[in-house]
């Protein structure tokens, strides 16, 4: 039920600002879920774990996509898979469940959140990115002040 509520919240959040969002199911394969706008969130019955190699490959094949994974964090990783996931700058992880493995999720991404922090994750994802622009030219303000002082010095 927590996962369904998380997905409902994401739908409301993204619809509010007309954000382009796609939903995927991750089991043996990664497949897109197509919910009707007016329909409630319905998830297939799941059992067991998910194929971590498929997630690693999908994340590397789609570097332009922001990937928000809602998980309990209990999956086994080999060294290569751990490295692959930790190298993804576009990976956001939300740990669901009272027993979510947040320690593992924190080692995989700097963008790791608890379920109750989903709002913070979404704001971080959709926040406009700051663009660093160097000044086009240097301007020496002290020189300008000294030049102006000598011209109109009224002793202030």
């Amino acid at each position: 039920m927590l996962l369904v509520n998380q997905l409902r919240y994401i739908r409301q959040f993204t619809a509010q600002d007309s954000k382009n969002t796609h939903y995927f199911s991750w089991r043996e394969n990664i497949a897109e879920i197509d919910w009707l706008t007016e329909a409630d969130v319905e998830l297939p019955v799941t059992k067991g774990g998910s194929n971590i190699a498929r997630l690693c490959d999908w994340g590397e094949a789609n570097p332009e996509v922001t990937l928000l994974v809602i998980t309990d964090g209990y999956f086994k990783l080999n060294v290569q898979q751990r490295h692959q996931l930790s190298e993804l700058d576009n990976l956001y992880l939300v740990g669901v469940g009272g027993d979510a493995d947040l320690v593992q999720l924190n080692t995989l991404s700097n963008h790791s959140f608890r379920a109750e922090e989903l709002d913070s994750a979404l704001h971080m994802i959709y926040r406009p990115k700051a663009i660093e622009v160097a000044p086009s030219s240097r301007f020496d303000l002290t020189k300008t002040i000294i030049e102006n002082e000598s011209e109109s010095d009224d002793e202030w």
Side-chain angles (χ1 to χ4, degrees):
M1 198 61 201
L2 179 57
L3 180 58
V4 169
N5 285 332
Q6 295 277 304
L7 292 169
R8 285 177 182 154
Y9 183 79
I10 293 169
R11 281 178 61 171
Q12 291 172 356
F13 183 96
T14 56
Q16 187 175 19
D17 292 329
S18 301
K19 302 293 184 189
N20 186 14
T21 307
H22 298 270
Y23 300 89
F24 294 86
S25 172
W26 167 40
R27 302 287 309 141
E28 284 303 312
N29 293 308
I30 296 178
E32 188 165 4
I33 299 172
D34 189 25
W35 289 310
L36 299 174
T37 310
E38 12 349 288
D40 195 14
V41 172
E42 290 184 29
L43 297 175
V45 177
T46 59
K47 203 174 198 182
S50 296
N51 185 335
I52 194 69
R54 202 62 86 196
L55 178 65
C56 293
D57 294 342
W58 198 91
E60 282 189 343
N62 298 283
E64 73 286 350
V65 174
T66 300
L67 186 59
L68 174 65
V69 178
I70 301 173
T71 179
D72 64 2
Y74 287 99
F75 39 81
K76 290 185 169 75
L77 298 166
N78 62 35
V79 174
Q80 179 186 1
Q81 292 166 336
R82 181 172 298 284
H83 179 72
Q84 280 179 286
L85 291 178
S86 66
E87 290 295 310
L88 296 175
D89 292 330
N90 59 336
L91 179 62
Y92 292 78
L93 300 168
V94 175
V96 292
D99 64 341
D101 190 352
L102 298 173
V103 173
Q104 173 160 271
L105 297 180
N106 285 329
T107 64
L108 297 176
S109 175
N110 291 330
H111 309 295
S112 181
F113 302 88
R114 294 186 310 271
E116 61 270 16
E117 298 173 317
L118 177 60
D119 187 55
S120 297
L122 293 172
H123 281 286
M124 183 176 283
I125 290 169
Y126 290 111
R127 176 179 53 206
K129 306 294 185 236
I131 300 173
E132 292 185 27
V133 179
S136 58
S137 63
R138 289 185 161 253
F139 184 76
D140 189 356
L141 188 57
T142 57
K143 182 179 176 185
T144 304
I145 292 172
I146 293 170
E147 288 174 358
N148 288 339
E149 278 183 4
S150 61
E151 294 173 4
S152 60
D153 187 10
D154 60 359
E155 295 186 18
W156 280 94

